[in-house]
Amino acid sequence: MSSKVLDSKIPDGPLAEKWTHHKNNIKLVNPANKRLIDIIIVGTGLAGGSAAATLAELGYNVKAFCYQDSPRRAHSIAAQGGINAAKNYQGDGDSTYRLFYDTVKGGDYRSREANVYRLAEVSTNIIDQCVAQGVPFARDYGGLLDNRSFGGVQVSRTFYAKGQTGQQLLLGCYSAMSRQIGKGKIKMYNRHEMMDIVIVNGKARGIIARNLITGEIERHSAHAVVIASGGYGNVFYLSTNAMGSNTSATWKIHKKGAFFANPCFTQIHPTCNPQHGDQQSKLTLMSESLRNDGRIWVPSRKEDAEAVREGRLKPIDIAEEDRDYYLERKYPSFGNLTPRDVASRAAKERCDAGHGIVNNSTKEGVFLDFASAIVRYGKEEALVKGIHNPADAQIRAFGEEIVEAKYGNLFEMYENITGDSPYKTPMKIYPAVHYTMGGVWVDYNLMTSIPGCYAIGEANFSDHGANRLGASALMQGLADGYFVLPYTIGDYLADDIRTGTIRTDTTEFDEAEKAVKERIEFFVNNKGKHSVDYFHRKLGKIMWNKAGMSRNKEGLQEAIAEIRELREQFRKEVKVPGKADGLNSELEKAGRVADFLELGELFARDALNRNESCGGHFREEHKTDEGEAQRDDKNYAYVSAWEHKGAPGDAALHKEKLVYENIELKTRSYK
């Protein structure tokens, strides 16, 4: 297929002027005509919710769908650490260009320059918008908005609300939605799941949805469909994602013609609670913001690590000279604030070498220690209070008070999970699957390869390349929803002002509904012997062991074969209790896991195809003598966009070449 298929529609002109020039030249829909146009939005997290609120405010008729009982339940609520914006309030050298540069470098030079610059450009507007909504961002002593730093950068640009930033931003977004729901401009469909997209004359014109309470199959039409359903991290079963997070909406549009881009670019987050047993169904994230003040280390001596694992030695009893602060040792310029992919691989290397400190089956885990920060803050506070010879107990008390103000709810959450107080003993952490940089391929307007179908937030292949910098997920979701899609979607919808309401009593809707019902009937009538979770766990183990934090050719080939075999077994042996015409959570999971079983194979194929290491994609055959990722810019500086051709093994690869005119391609270094 020709390269024109992947026309990214990047505007001409200087990088800093592309977005302004584009907005000045795209088509608009006047206010009276917006009332004639319907838009469906699937997913109501930060990306979908902000898009729904903004498009409704503009005058469009919005139908918003979420499988939760309220948009307030979206997984965006789990984001803890903060949201980036190039405000330079600290006067520490930040700028739009610096945020752009850090994001492209952090993504290991596998993202679009134009998209990333636009993201940096609109980031400052997001903060003003959210402050106006009443989001309670942290403030400094003088009442100005406070900032902290995150991994992969050397400035403080992350705005935060204690350890609840995602929740507070989502509540602000939900308040904007609620206003439009009250006015009738948003029709909210809670507890509804998109089962398929409907294509009419080559354009996205609606969806088939299932009412998760009654089981009723419904037809919904619109002039455009926006997918904002998040990422696919749960293909690994164990991840930091909510249990309900899934790939089904994105996979359904992929099977109807939307290219799926860079599926192997999946982020491993370095600060997660370690896995403790095979029966665990969820991993809990501890915010990356903790790496601002927490120091990561393992015992230098293997015998000390073994003693810690067995409970014979407490971490606080290990002398300073017997601790290996390995990030500070290996990456002195960034230390504990190295990017997530680098920090995660460094933790794996130490644990593989026998220095892990958690007594689980894999002996994996490292310490995140706040003792130094508590003492440092305590001494500062004592001086502020005029106490020049404070006792150690006073220093600790003052320091703990400061740390509690910054991270208190995170410390409380950790103690509730583990029974240990991070004020008294170091946290135990280990990397886990988190965010997915891959997703549906979109052009500069955020439109997929299906006309009239858009993908925003984590659902698209995004602006993050091969690795997302911390605090950039919220930034991208709100940028897409508040400030990008509301402009670009009008360029497409300007041609629909005379179209009229899209009918649902057509052959296209008939066929889509029939296929959905047949799939549901298959699941509830299948006389299998294994639960859905049985297969999901098996898939997760294949993915983690052979396509996880590090990959190699042999393992990926094995993963592809094993996933195909597991998918066939699933089709024959899955057991879904209950009926189709009512509440049935096992039926919901069955459809989602069936999609994961297809995505998993494409994921492994993409990883096998990319013979380089970059960001979250680490091929063991492609590393430097020091064990760092080794990119191949000559052969792999492209977006891999996969076209559905039947089975995942038959998908066709298209390549969008990445051109860098403003940033020099060079090896990442955080030393």
Side-chain angles (χ1 to χ4, degrees):
M1 201 171 287
S2 70
S3 59
K4 291 182 180 178
V5 172
L6 286 178
D7 180 8
S8 59
K9 295 185 172 66
I10 296 172
D12 295 329
L15 183 67
E17 299 174 15
K18 286 182 187 293
W19 178 230
T20 300
H21 177 74
H22 190 58
K23 287 190 294 182
N24 289 343
N25 288 279
I26 59 178
K27 290 180 284 188
L28 301 176
V29 180
N30 80 42
N33 287 332
K34 287 188 176 82
R35 295 195 293 268
L36 306 175
I37 292 177
D38 302 320
I39 300 173
I40 284 173
I41 297 179
V42 179
T44 51
L46 282 179
S50 59
T54 307
L55 291 168
E57 182 83 35
L58 288 172
Y60 294 106
N61 306 309
V62 175
K63 302 175 185 178
F65 293 79
C66 73
Y67 65 75
Q68 299 94 342
D69 57 356
S70 165
R72 291 172 298 171
R73 302 284 190 189
H75 186 57
S76 301
I77 201 172
Q80 299 163 337
I83 177 170
N84 289 329
K87 287 284 196 182
N88 195 32
Y89 284 165
Q90 312 299 315
D92 57 0
D94 202 9
S95 65
T96 297
Y97 182 85
R98 175 66 63 177
L99 175 51
F100 158 69
Y101 174 81
D102 286 344
T103 306
V104 173
K105 177 185 176 183
D108 222 348
Y109 304 92
R110 290 294 176 263
S111 49
R112 274 196 205 131
E113 270 195 342
N115 285 56
V116 178
Y117 193 89
R118 176 175 65 186
L119 178 66
E121 191 178 348
V122 306
S123 67
T124 55
N125 298 336
I126 298 170
I127 304 304
D128 298 338
Q129 169 98 351
C130 295
V131 169
Q133 290 175 341
V135 173
F137 286 121
R139 295 179 181 268
D140 64 18
Y141 181 77
L144 301 176
L145 294 179
D146 197 14
N147 290 122
R148 55 191 179 200
S149 189
F150 258 65
V153 304
Q154 292 180 306
V155 297
S156 294
R157 66 162 67 102
T158 304
F159 295 78
Y160 64 98
K162 215 168 186 178
Q164 308 169 358
T165 314
Q167 181 181 25
Q168 298 302 328
L169 290 171
L170 190 63
L171 290 173
C173 172
Y174 181 66
S175 70
M177 283 186 71
S178 295
R179 180 168 178 267
Q180 298 305 319
I181 292 169
K183 292 171 67 176
K185 293 303 292 181
I186 295 177
K187 286 186 179 179
M188 192 68 231
Y189 294 88
N190 297 332
R191 299 296 283 133
H192 279 67
E193 183 165 25
M194 171 186 156
M195 306 302 289
D196 207 350
I197 192 168
V198 181
I199 311 293
V200 181
N201 296 327
K203 296 180 178 180
R205 291 303 199 190
I207 66 169
I208 305 297
R210 181 174 183 267
N211 183 321
L212 298 179
I213 303 298
T214 67
E216 183 180 357
I217 304 301
E218 303 173 1
R219 304 180 182 192
H220 296 275
S221 67
H223 298 90
V225 176
V226 179
I227 304 299
S229 56
Y232 50 89
N234 276 351
V235 70
F236 287 86
Y237 186 69
L238 281 177
S239 80
T240 67
N241 289 269
M243 291 294 289
S245 297
N246 62 85
T247 193
S248 288
T250 53
W251 198 248
K252 292 297 187 292
I253 67 170
H254 169 59
K255 294 178 79 167
K256 285 291 183 72
F259 293 1
F260 207 97
N262 297 338
C264 77
F265 287 167
T266 305
Q267 182 161 78
I268 311 294
H269 198 295
T271 55
C272 181
N273 290 149
Q275 182 181 351
H276 288 286
D278 289 338
Q279 297 307 306
Q280 199 166 338
S281 58
K282 172 90 176 66
L283 296 174
T284 305
L285 178 70
M286 303 310 300
S287 170
E288 185 180 354
S289 63
L290 296 171
R291 291 203 281 152
N292 274 287
D293 288 311
R295 300 177 70 195
I296 296 174
W297 64 276
V298 292
S300 298
R301 298 186 303 209
K302 291 183 182 180
E303 54 266 34
D304 286 348
E306 183 178 356
V308 169
R309 290 197 298 267
E310 295 176 356
R312 294 184 283 108
L313 184 63
K314 294 181 179 179
I316 56 174
D317 294 330
I318 298 178
E320 193 72 13
E321 61 269 21
D322 294 327
R323 300 180 178 191
D324 179 12
Y325 295 94
Y326 56 87
L327 291 178
E328 298 171 31
R329 169 174 57 82
K330 295 179 68 175
Y331 310 104
S333 291
F334 284 74
N336 295 294
L337 289 175
T338 54
R340 291 176 176 177
D341 58 324
V342 176
S344 294
R345 283 196 295 274
K348 183 179 187 299
E349 185 275 327
R350 287 290 78 201
C351 292
D352 288 349
H355 297 268
I357 50 84
V358 176
N359 194 25
N360 53 22
S361 59
T362 51
K363 308 295 186 288
E364 292 171 335
V366 300
F367 289 125
L368 180 60
D369 196 334
F370 293 87
S372 296
I374 288 170
V375 171
R376 184 178 74 252
Y377 284 129
K379 288 180 177 178
E380 288 178 4
E381 187 66 10
L383 289 172
V384 169
K385 293 180 181 296
I387 304 172
H388 293 281
N389 293 297
D392 288 347
Q394 282 182 300
I395 292 172
R396 283 204 64 84
F398 289 147
E400 288 182 10
E401 191 175 319
I402 300 294
V403 169
E404 183 180 10
K406 298 180 74 161
Y407 310 115
N409 64 305
L410 297 170
F411 277 36
E412 184 180 341
M413 182 169 70
Y414 180 86
E415 187 168 3
N416 286 337
I417 293 170
T418 66
D420 293 330
S421 169
Y423 298 105
K424 310 301 180 188
T425 189
M427 285 184 177
K428 297 175 182 177
I429 59 167
Y430 193 69
V433 173
H434 183 52
Y435 186 91
T436 53
M437 285 77 66
V440 182
W441 183 89
V442 292
D443 63 18
Y444 190 74
N445 291 328
L446 304 182
M447 191 190 291
T448 71
S449 38
I450 300 173
C453 179
Y454 292 78
I456 60 176
E458 192 180 356
N460 70 31
F461 84 104
S462 76
D463 309 320
H464 309 300
N467 172 60
R468 178 176 67 82
L469 291 181
S472 289
L474 304 185
M475 175 173 64
Q476 188 223 339
L478 291 181
D480 286 357
Y482 281 139
F483 298 110
V484 179
L485 183 72
Y487 280 102
T488 61
I489 200 169
D491 189 48
Y492 171 80
L493 292 173
D495 295 331
D496 267 325
I497 58 175
R498 297 178 185 273
T499 302
T501 303
I502 305 298
R503 294 167 48 201
T504 59
D505 58 343
T506 61
T507 302
E508 292 86 354
F509 276 90
D510 290 343
E511 291 175 351
E513 181 178 325
K514 180 172 179 281
V516 165
K517 287 182 174 178
E518 287 175 352
R519 191 173 195 240
I520 290 172
E521 288 300 315
F522 165 77
F523 284 129
V524 295
N525 293 324
N526 204 46
K527 305 302 180 185
K529 58 184 178 181
H530 295 300
S531 70
V532 176
D533 280 348
Y534 169 87
F535 292 99
H536 199 177
R537 286 180 189 273
K538 284 199 161 213
L539 173 64
K541 286 184 177 179
I542 295 170
M543 294 297 295
W544 180 249
N545 292 333
K546 296 179 179 179
M549 212 185 314
S550 67
R551 301 123 187 218
N552 58 57
K553 181 178 180 180
E554 182 181 4
L556 289 167
Q557 289 173 333
E558 290 173 356
I560 291 169
E562 289 172 17
I563 292 169
R564 286 177 181 172
E565 185 178 335
L566 185 64
R567 194 166 64 240
E568 183 63 22
Q569 185 189 4
F570 173 83
R571 193 184 67 80
K572 293 177 180 177
E573 298 182 6
V574 69
K575 178 180 176 62
V576 179
K579 299 179 179 179
D581 56 349
L583 182 66
N584 189 338
S585 59
E586 287 299 302
L587 176 59
E588 295 170 35
K589 286 195 292 186
R592 296 166 187 170
V593 171
D595 294 332
F596 278 137
L597 283 164
E598 293 181 350
L599 169 68
E601 181 179 342
L602 186 65
F603 182 121
R605 272 196 71 194
D606 189 49
L608 183 62
N609 172 75
R610 191 170 283 274
N611 290 304
E612 65 166 352
S613 291
C614 57
H617 168 65
F618 190 77
R619 283 284 296 270
E620 294 168 5
E621 305 96 327
H622 305 283
K623 59 185 177 183
T624 66
D625 293 339
E626 296 177 321
E628 304 292 343
Q630 192 167 52
R631 290 197 326 267
D632 180 353
D633 294 331
K634 180 180 178 181
N635 296 302
Y636 293 97
Y638 62 75
V639 176
S640 58
W642 296 89
E643 181 184 7
H644 180 72
K645 292 286 189 181
D650 299 326
L653 174 63
H654 302 277
K655 301 175 183 180
E656 180 197 341
K657 185 179 180 182
L658 293 169
V659 179
Y660 294 93
E661 298 175 344
N662 297 271
I663 288 182
E664 180 188 354
L665 279 166
K666 54 187 179 182
T667 301
R668 278 199 305 169
S669 175
Y670 295 94
K671 296 183 177 182

